[in-house]
């Protein structure tokens, strides 16, 4: 437990590689303890370490940890947690530019989300699908997916998926030259992300909002 607490504290202070090392140490300790460690603790470790692997761009390890978490959660009958881990698999595959794999993972997440009634899992699956479509030029397919994420996540109070869908959806508007519409959507998404500490949406949003403002000639704001 103290190794896990130390890892969490390190991660919260952006000592990312130190946090990964501490999670590695905790995993080794779990190996010595064997079956006395509950599956929920192992799942939590794998999911937390997967997020950190994303931060340092080690996407293969991120997906592997998410896959371990998904397998253990499924065995335990916790299918919502399984779905959340599969969403992590999809995001890692997307960031690694393994787009076909990302779509497979996302489809699995959507199926689990629908079976469990979890809006967060469903939204996460649709978001990963939309990101793949956006980055591979399937823009007309991306737009309704982003809209679906917002429609699913907003009533559920799922801020991370909503903020990311707003920010990445704004990019489509900007690419079409709809700079003023894009600027409003960026502002709303960034405000939501910064208020609730959604790092990915905040960083992506601020950078791409600057690009959008440049395109419409508002250089000082950019």
């Amino acid at each position: 437990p103290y190794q896990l607490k130390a890892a969490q504290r390190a991660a919260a202070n952006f000592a990312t590689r130190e946090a990964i090392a501490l999670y590695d140490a905790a995993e080794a300790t779990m190996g010595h303890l064997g079956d006395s460690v509950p599956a929920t603790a192992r799942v939590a470790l794998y999911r937390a370490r997967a997020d950190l692997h994303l931060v340092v761009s080690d996407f293969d390890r991120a997906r592997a940890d998410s896959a371990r978490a998904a397998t253990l959660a499924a065995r335990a009958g916790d299918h919502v947690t399984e779905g959340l881990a599969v969403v992590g698999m999809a995001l890692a595959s997307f960031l690694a530019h393994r787009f076909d794999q990302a779509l497979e993972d996302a489809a699995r997440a959507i199926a689990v989300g629908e079976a469990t009634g979890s809006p967060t899992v469903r939204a996460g699956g649709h978001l990963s699908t939309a990101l793949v479509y956006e980055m591979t030029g399937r823009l007309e397919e991306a737009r309704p997916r982003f809209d679906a994420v917002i429609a699913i996540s907003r009533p559920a109070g799922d801020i991370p998926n909503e903020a990311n869908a707003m920010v990445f959806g704004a990019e489509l508007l900007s690419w079409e030259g709809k700079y003023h519409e894009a600027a409003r959507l960026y502002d709303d998404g960034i405000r939501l992300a910064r208020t609730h500490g959604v790092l990915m949406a905040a960083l992506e949003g601020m950078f791409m909002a600057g690009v959008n403002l440049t395109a419409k000639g508002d250089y000082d704001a950019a």
Side-chain angles (χ1 to χ4, degrees), residues 50-90:
D51 289 343
L52 297 175
H53 284 314
L54 291 181
V55 174
V56 297
S57 299
D58 196 340
F59 304 128
D60 289 339
R61 288 184 180 178
R63 189 179 186 280
D65 270 349
S66 292
R68 292 186 187 102
T71 298
L72 288 175
R75 287 176 186 167
D78 184 353
H79 297 295
V80 171
T81 300
E82 175 198 359
L84 294 171
V86 174
V87 170
M89 292 165 59

Side-chain angles (χ1 to χ4, degrees), residues 21 33 47 55 57-58 69 72 95 111 118 124 137 159 169 172 199 206 215:
L33 295 172
R47 290 188 62 204
V55 174
S57 299
D58 196 340
L72 288 175
L95 291 170
S118 170
I159 302 298
L172 301 181
L199 187 62
M206 286 188 284

Side-chain angles (χ1 to χ4, degrees), residues 2 13 23 29 41 44-45 67 96 104 138 157 162 173 179 185 208:
Y2 285 104
N13 286 281
Y23 277 123
T29 304
L45 184 151
E104 289 181 20
R138 298 165 64 176
E162 181 184 0
L173 293 170
Y179 303 125
L185 191 56
M208 292 304 295

Side-chain angles (χ1 to χ4, degrees), residues 135-160:
M135 297 306 164
T136 55
R138 298 165 64 176
L139 304 185
E140 292 305 315
E141 294 173 89
R143 185 185 307 282
R145 292 283 185 157
F146 284 128
D147 291 342
V149 174
I150 294 170
I152 295 167
S153 60
R154 184 169 291 167
D158 176 8
I159 302 298

